[in-house]
Each structure stands twice: as C-alpha cells, then as structure tokens.
Amino acid sequence: MSDLHYIEKGAGVPVVLLHGFPVDGRIWRGQLKELSKTNRVIVIDLPGFGKTPLDGAYTMDSLAVQVHGLLKEIGAEPCVLGGLSMGGYVALAFYQKFPTDIKGLILVDTRATGDTPEATANRNELIRQVHHRGPCAVVDAMMPKVVSDNTIAAEPETVTIVREMMEACTPAALEHALVALRDRVDRTELLPSIAEPVLIIVGECDTITPPAEARQMQQAIPRATLQIVPDAAHFSPIENPAFVNRAISDFLRQLNSR
Ligand code: MLT
C-alpha cells in the first residue's frame, strides 16, 4: 500500500495535482473545490509534506514512481497530471517514465531545466541554514518570493496559510527536498517529445520560475498553451484561484472534446 496521503473529490477523468516546495496539497484547495464539479480530482501530499510521512531520501524520479504506484492502486490512470514547481519537476519525470498513463499535463510555475551552479550554491546554503534554524530559514528565504505584492495586500489569509504550511515542515523534510531539487535532472530534451496537450501556467510576477522560462517551455512543447496569471507570483493556484481554475477548466473541456 502506498504511503502517500491524498484527498480526492468528484468523478470523471482523473486530474492529479502535485504541490510545490515547501508546502503541501492545501496549495490546491481552490482547484479541488472547483474542478471536482467536472472531474475526479486527486491532490497528493509528497513525502515529508502535509500528512505524508518522510521515508528517507528521494529523487524526482523516485517520487514519480511512488505517485504512479498510488495511481495504479486507486485506479486513477490514465490521468491529467498537474504539478506546481517541484510538483512540475515530478510531473515531467512521470511523463518520461509513464507517457501512456498521461492524457495531458498541467505545468504550473515550473521549469524543465536543472539547477544552475549558482542555484546549487544557494540550495547548499539553504540546507546549511535549515540545519541550524529549521523552517524559519526557508520561510525567510522564500516568503518574499512566493506570493505577489498584490496577494500580500489583498489576501492576508492566503499569506497566512502559505506561511503555516512552510512552518509546519520538519528540518528533515526540508533538507531531503532541497537535496532532491538540487540534484534533479534537466528535462529540456524531453519537451519536444511530449505528444499530449500541455497547459503551462505562470504568475505574471513569478521570479523563481519567470514567465520568460514558461514561454521557452511552450515553444519547445508541440501542443502547449500558455496562460499568464495576473496579480500572482510563484504560488499562482492559491493567489488567483479564479483565473487558474478557468484556465484548467478550459483545458480539460478541450481534452474531453477530443
Ligand atoms: C517550488 O516551489 O517547488 C520550488 O520553488 C522549486 C525550486 O526551488 O526549484
């Protein structure tokens, strides 16, 4: 039996959603509510986050295998697989391993490239800080980047939830995730071979995985569309759920009509 904790709601073509770092499935709360009106939505907590226990070291590839195992167990493939940032890295690893189990991909605030030498150095420094200061180090480093100024001004409750998710992480969960993020494989060469429709979503103010990179992914994937989310930074699904839900619903409708 899979250790991965998940929530599911609704019926129809499965839509599986994977969260980013360092949050959990709650980042998709707006999508779970809305998209489950038309689809079977499955939101997974990756190891060490939310309600899924940490079970030692992992890679994006081993996470993809774990997610695949769960989906097989609960009869949820083929599916539309969506991932936010780190979840997007896992989604691309999943596609590379199990392309026939994918009906479409939703890549949100993410990228296909690996870490640059500078990003690797920053990860190593953050790992060192987490070791000494725990989740505060990650909150301090990431909070200013993951939500937009607009979200901070207009959606204080959203900011509180994001902060709570980050603060709930154990140092071990953060360290294992940072190592897996740092060591992930560059999947740029996979992009031209993705045969299924792909929806790319990015916050207009995302500085971690900026719109320019999203455009490059769109150009490299044969059947990709790009939606840029107003008033959002890196956690666009929780910052502007109405826009993101509309983009995903339109994508799912087009997939269903094929
Ligand atoms: C995430 O949101 O999952 C992270 O920002 C990904 C990363 O740091 O590469």
Side-chain angles (χ1 to χ4, degrees), residues 19-22 84-87 89 109 111 115 123 142 146 181 184 208 234-235:
H19 60 82
F21 169 87
L84 168 68
S85 201
M86 176 174 76
Y89 307 156
D109 300 305
R111 55 159 61 92
D115 268 10
R123 298 265 192 224
M142 294 198 69
V146 292
L181 288 166
R184 74 186 188 279
I208 297 179
H234 189 57
F235 284 167

Side-chain angles (χ1 to χ4, degrees), residues 54-82:
L54 180 66
D55 183 24
Y58 56 80
T59 62
M60 296 304 145
D61 291 81
S62 71
L63 291 180
V65 170
Q66 258 185 290
V67 169
H68 186 253
L70 170 68
L71 299 186
K72 264 195 122 43
E73 206 173 286
I74 63 174
E77 18 86 45
C79 69
V80 177
L81 182 59

